[in-house]
Amino acid sequence: MFLAIRELKHSKLRYLLIGLIMVLVALLVFIISGLANGLSSDNASSIQNMKADYFVMEHDSKNKLNRSIISMEKLDEIRASSDVKAAEGLGQMMITLNKVGSSEKTDVTIFATNASGILAPKVIEGTNYDNKKQGEVVADSSLKEVGYKLGDSLKDDLSGKVFTIVGFTEKQSYSHSPVVYMNVKGWQEINPALKNQGNDSISTIAVQMDSKAEENVRESLPEDLTLISKDESLQSIPGFKEEQGTLTMMIAFLFVIAAFVLAVFFYVITLQKTNQFGVLKALGANTSFLAKSIVGQVMLLAVACIAISVALTYGVTLIMPEGMPFELSTNLVIKYSLLLLVVSVLGSLLSLYRVAKIDAIEAIGRVS
Amino acid sequence: MMGDKLLFENVSKIYGEGDNKVTALDNISLNVRAGEFVAIVGPSGSGKSTFLSIAGALLSPSKGRLLLNDEDITSLSPKKLTRVRLEKIGFVFQSSNLVPYLTVRDQLLLISELIGKRDKKTMKKADELLSHLGLGHRADHLPEALSGGERQRVAIARSLMNDPEIILADEPTASLDSKRGRDVVEMLAHEVKSRNKAAIMVTHDERMLDLCDRVVNITDGKVFG
Ligand SMILES: Nc1ncnc2c1ncn2[C@@H]1O[C@H](COP(=O)(O)OP(=O)(O)OP(=O)(O)O)[C@@H](O)[C@H]1O
Ligand SMILES: [Mg+2]
C-alpha cells in the first residue's frame, strides 16, 4: 500500500479518469438491476407475493396458467398428502373489461380463488368478495390510478357478465396487468374454455410445502399433472423470461466491460512502468510486494468508485418519476458491489502476470 | 581470507548455448575489502555489466563461487537472492532510477518498507542520511524537481539506507556533466571511507579514477590489474 496510495495521489488525473468510467459502469449496473427488479415485480408481483411454494399444473399446459385445467377434485387429493402443508385452487385468465357507463377498457388478469383460503388477497380498502355471491371482485390498487373506485361496475363483453369492485388489494400484477380477484364460480362462468364442460375446474393448485418433499409429491401425482416451483411458474409468465433475460444480459456485459476496461488500463500503466518495476525488483522488492501494490490500487479505486455510484444510484431514485418500475434491495446492492470488486481484481491479473515476468537484471546496464 | 566484503572465486559467465555461446566473464577472481572503493573499467561489451549483475546477486555465475561477507551466495534460490539484495547490497544505478511519484524521503523509506520495518527510527535515519548528503531541504520534493546530481545523491543515500555490506554503482555519472559527476563520486567515496563499506563502481569516465582505491580493468571478460 506504500506505493499504491502515493502513486494514486501523484497521478490524480489519470486515476480520476479511469475512476469516472468505473463509476459510470457501476451506476449503470445498479440502475439496470433496479429496473430489472422493478419490472419483474411490475410484471409478476402477484405470483412473487403469493403464499405458495409450488404449483400443480396440467401436464400438457407447458407451464402456462391459461392453458392448464385441473378438476377441482384433485385439490382434496393433494391436500390429503402428508407432505403438503396447505393447498388451494386458483383459476386464471386474461380478459379485457369495460367500465360500465364509459368507453374505458382495461386489460386485467382474473385470479379466482377461495375468498378465505391461503391465496385470498389482502384487502386494503373496502371488503373482500363473497364466495357465494356472484359479481363481486377485489381489484389491484393500480386500477385506482386509472380512475376506478369502489362500487364501479365492470363488464366482460364476451360473456356479458358484470362485476362490481367491492375492495382493493395491492402489489398484485400478472404479466404487467392488474389482477382482479373473484370467486371460482364467477371465473368458471366467464371462461370460454370451460363453458361447455360443466365441470368444476381450476387452472392450478398452489401448494405450500417443503422443498424436500418435492420428489415425493411429484411422484404421487397422476400422469396428466405436473409440479413446478414458484420460480418456474414466474419464468412461464408471458414476456417475463424475455424481459429479465435482456436486462440480465446487459448487466452481465457491464461486468465484462468493467473487467476489460480495468485490465487494459492497468496493463498499459504496468507496461509503462516496466523499468521502474525492474529497479524496484533489483533493490529487493519481490513480486508479491509489487502485486499487492497493484491489487491495492485496484481495490482502493474500485471501492471508492462503487461507493460513489451507490450514492449516485440512491440519488437518482429520488428524482425518478413516481410510476417508474424501480426496486433495488440493499442485498442486491451489496451483492453487485462485491461482484464488481471481484471483477476489478480479476482485471488486474493480467498486470500481475506482466510484473511477475519483469527481471530485476534489467535495472543494470540501462541508460534510461 | 577474512575481511573480504566481496570475493569472486574463479567466476565465469557464459550466455547462450551451442553456436550462440558468449563468454562474458572468463575465470575472474577478485576481492573487495571493507573500506575499499574499486572502479571497474573496460571497453564496451567487455563484461562490466555482467560482472556487476553477478556481484549484485541479480545474476548467477555459470562457474565459480561468490562470497558476500564470507557467506557463499552462489547457489541461493532467487527468493533468497532478493533478500540478500535487500539487506546486504546497496545499489546506485544510472540515471532515473528513482520512483517518480515518491518524495526524496519516501525513496529512502521505501527500503525500510521493503525490509518490513518502517518506523520512527528509520524515519530519523532517512532524515539523517539526507542532511548528511546535503539534501535535507529537499526531503519533501519529488525527483522531477531535482537536478541530475541531486538525484544521484538521493540514490546514494538510498543505497546506504539498509546498512549494506557493499555498494554497487553502475555508471552513476553517466547523465551528469563532469563537475557534478565528480561531486557525486567524491560523496560516494567519502561515505564508503567514513562508514567502512566496500564499493564497486563501473565507469567509463577516466577522470573519476583518482577517487578510487583500485582500478580493475576488464577486457573480453578477463581481469587486468
Ligand atoms: N543476456 C545476454 N545474452 C547473451 N549475451 C549477452 C547478454 N548480456 C550480455 N551479453 C554479452 O556479454 C558480453 C558482455 O556484456 P556486458 O553487458 O557485460 O558488457 P559491458 O562491459 O557492460 O558493455 P557496455 O560498456 O557497452 O555496457 C557482450 O558481448 C554481450 O553481448
Ligand atoms: Mg554495461
Side-chain angles (χ1 to χ4, degrees):
Chain A
M1 281 306 200
F2 182 86
L3 293 178
I5 294 170
R6 283 164 177 78
E7 189 179 17
L8 284 179
K9 276 192 197 151
H10 182 251
S11 311
K12 281 194 204 75
L13 182 67
R14 186 186 275 190
Y15 289 101
L16 265 178
L17 287 176
I18 188 72
L20 191 68
I21 297 179
M22 277 299 287
V23 167
L24 291 177
V25 169
L27 188 64
L28 217 56
V29 166
F30 291 131
I31 287 184
I32 293 183
S33 52
L35 215 56
N37 253 355
L39 281 172
S40 131
S41 59
D42 187 62
N43 190 337
S45 56
S46 59
I47 300 289
Q48 287 166 337
N49 298 334
M50 201 172 265
K51 292 192 199 74
D53 309 306
Y54 289 88
F55 292 92
V56 175
M57 308 280 291
E58 191 182 9
H59 202 282
D60 297 330
S61 66
K62 297 218 164 100
N63 296 352
K64 292 204 182 338
L65 274 178
N66 58 339
R67 292 195 199 162
S68 176
I69 294 173
I70 301 177
S71 159
M72 197 62 143
E73 293 154 16
K74 294 285 191 311
L75 179 58
D76 291 327
E77 288 170 28
I78 284 167
R79 276 181 177 151
S81 161
S82 60
D83 292 315
V84 170
K85 287 180 204 146
E88 192 56 78
L90 177 74
Q92 183 266 1
M93 72 184 290
M94 302 184 83
I95 59 171
T96 304
L97 292 176
N98 281 330
K99 190 173 182 178
V100 175
S102 121
S103 61
E104 175 107 21
K105 282 177 197 251
T106 310
D107 290 325
V108 302
T109 298
I110 302 291
F111 273 13
T113 189
N114 178 358
S116 50
I118 55 169
L119 305 182
K122 190 167 159 256
V123 177
I124 56 163
E125 193 186 333
T127 55
N128 202 355
Y129 60 90
D130 195 291
N131 266 342
K132 298 264 153 51
K133 225 152 95 195
Q134 288 311 302
E136 287 187 353
V137 296
V138 168
D140 180 59
S141 57
S142 64
L143 279 186
K144 280 203 286 190
E145 280 152 36
V146 290
Y148 290 90
K149 54 188 192 302
L150 286 180
D152 278 357
S153 292
L154 302 163
K155 185 175 178 205
D156 171 32
D157 275 341
L158 247 107
S159 64
K161 300 264 181 217
V162 176
F163 301 93
T164 309
I165 300 178
V166 296
F168 283 108
T169 179
E170 63 180 351
K171 297 205 182 90
Q172 294 286 345
S173 65
Y174 184 90
S175 193
H176 289 297
S177 69
V179 172
V180 169
Y181 276 89
M182 62 174 65
N183 62 30
V184 178
K185 193 102 192 91
W187 168 77
Q188 286 169 343
E189 280 172 4
I190 58 170
N191 192 339
L194 299 175
K195 215 166 203 170
N196 306 317
Q197 281 189 314
N199 285 349
D200 196 7
S201 300
I202 38 181
S203 306
T204 182
I205 297 169
V207 182
Q208 284 179 5
M209 64 181 205
D210 217 77
S211 60
K212 278 184 234 128
E214 184 179 342
E215 274 314 302
N216 256 346
V217 173
R218 183 171 290 133
E219 302 273 294
S220 70
L221 288 175
E223 216 164 67
D224 58 332
L225 296 186
T226 177
L227 186 72
I228 62 171
S229 68
K230 193 166 173 173
D231 203 47
E232 286 169 302
S233 118
L234 284 175
Q235 298 300 322
S236 64
I237 296 176
F240 187 90
K241 209 165 50 190
E242 294 75 5
E243 199 175 273
Q244 293 295 309
T246 314
L247 293 169
T248 308
M249 196 178 72
M250 281 163 109
I251 294 171
F253 265 104
L254 284 171
F255 278 109
V256 174
I257 290 171
F260 267 89
V261 166
L262 276 178
V264 170
F265 176 80
F266 277 94
Y267 188 67
V268 169
I269 288 196
T270 304
L271 281 184
Q272 270 186 357
K273 293 195 296 194
T274 302
N275 280 344
Q276 198 189 105
F277 284 135
V279 168
L280 288 172
K281 280 191 166 185
L283 290 177
N286 49 25
T287 300
S288 87
F289 178 88
L290 300 175
K292 275 186 212 148
S293 162
I294 293 181
V295 173
Q297 269 181 355
V298 174
M299 298 256 265
L300 280 177
L301 199 68
V303 167
C305 294
I306 292 168
I308 291 172
S309 42
V310 168
L312 284 177
T313 306
Y314 283 113
V316 167
T317 56
L318 290 183
I319 55 165
M320 265 181 193
E322 186 67 23
M324 185 104 165
F326 190 91
E327 258 176 54
L328 203 51
S329 67
T330 316
N331 250 345
L332 196 73
V333 170
I334 292 173
K335 197 177 107 190
Y336 278 162
S337 299
L338 290 179
L339 204 58
L340 274 169
L341 193 63
V342 169
V343 159
S344 310
V345 172
L346 284 182
S348 68
L349 289 183
L350 193 63
S351 306
L352 300 192
Y353 169 78
R354 179 71 218 170
V355 166
K357 293 245 126 183
I358 295 172
D359 195 343
I361 194 155
E362 296 183 21
I364 293 234
R366 275 283 178 83
V367 183
S368 69
Chain B
M1 191 180 128
M2 287 298 281
D4 285 339
K5 281 290 173 188
L6 183 71
L7 182 64
F8 272 64
E9 251 181 29
N10 306 104
V11 170
S12 297
K13 180 67 193 180
I14 296 150
Y15 288 113
E17 274 170 26
D19 289 347
N20 299 326
K21 242 161 95 173
V22 179
T23 307
L25 293 182
D26 192 2
N27 202 20
I28 285 189
S29 293
L30 186 98
N31 68 322
V32 186
R33 306 176 59 98
E36 198 176 18
F37 187 18
V38 175
I40 307 276
V41 294
S44 187
S46 56
K48 303 184 296 294
S49 293
T50 306
F51 177 85
L52 206 68
S53 301
I54 290 177
L58 290 161
L59 195 63
S60 294
S62 311
K63 274 189 226 133
R65 284 211 311 160
L66 181 65
L67 277 73
L68 180 65
N69 204 26
D70 294 327
E71 188 196 342
D72 191 338
I73 62 162
T74 320
S75 46
L76 291 184
S77 67
K79 212 171 156 181
K80 291 218 172 97
L81 286 177
T82 303
R83 205 70 206 168
V84 166
R85 290 201 299 277
L86 182 57
E87 290 172 351
K88 305 217 160 109
I89 300 175
F91 285 99
V92 180
F93 303 109
Q94 293 183 15
S95 60
S96 63
N97 59 78
L98 299 178
V99 182
Y101 51 84
L102 292 185
T103 63
V104 166
R105 183 185 290 113
D106 282 343
Q107 305 279 348
L108 273 59
L109 290 177
L110 172 62
I111 304 295
S112 320
E113 177 75 20
L114 286 173
I115 290 174
K117 47 172 184 203
R118 183 163 60 88
D119 49 27
K120 286 230 169 66
K121 229 171 90 192
T122 55
M123 184 90 109
K124 197 163 150 250
K125 183 172 180 181
D127 282 340
E128 271 169 18
L129 274 172
L130 288 176
S131 53
H132 192 73
L133 289 172
L135 293 160
H137 60 298
R138 293 298 212 177
D140 296 316
H141 290 195
L142 289 171
E144 63 196 21
L146 305 181
S147 72
E150 283 173 326
R151 280 182 211 168
Q152 287 307 64
R153 266 147 62 196
V154 175
I156 291 171
R158 182 177 66 183
S159 75
L160 292 165
M161 196 57 196
N162 58 350
D163 246 326
E165 304 292 343
I166 187 162
I167 297 166
L168 303 175
D170 180 24
E171 307 205 22
T173 61
S175 56
L176 305 177
D177 60 41
S178 61
K179 165 80 176 66
R180 280 168 216 277
R182 197 169 168 85
D183 286 349
V184 166
V185 176
E186 260 171 5
M187 198 157 264
L188 185 57
H190 175 76
E191 294 305 319
V192 168
K193 295 285 156 218
S194 63
R195 290 167 201 264
N196 205 31
K197 303 282 176 204
I200 299 177
M201 174 177 71
V202 166
T203 185
H204 271 118
D205 198 338
E206 306 270 323
R207 287 165 301 183
M208 307 295 169
L209 299 183
D210 61 299
L211 294 168
C212 303
D213 301 310
R214 183 147 58 103
V215 176
V216 173
N217 200 317
I218 297 188
T219 308
D220 281 344
K222 292 192 182 65
V223 164
F224 300 88

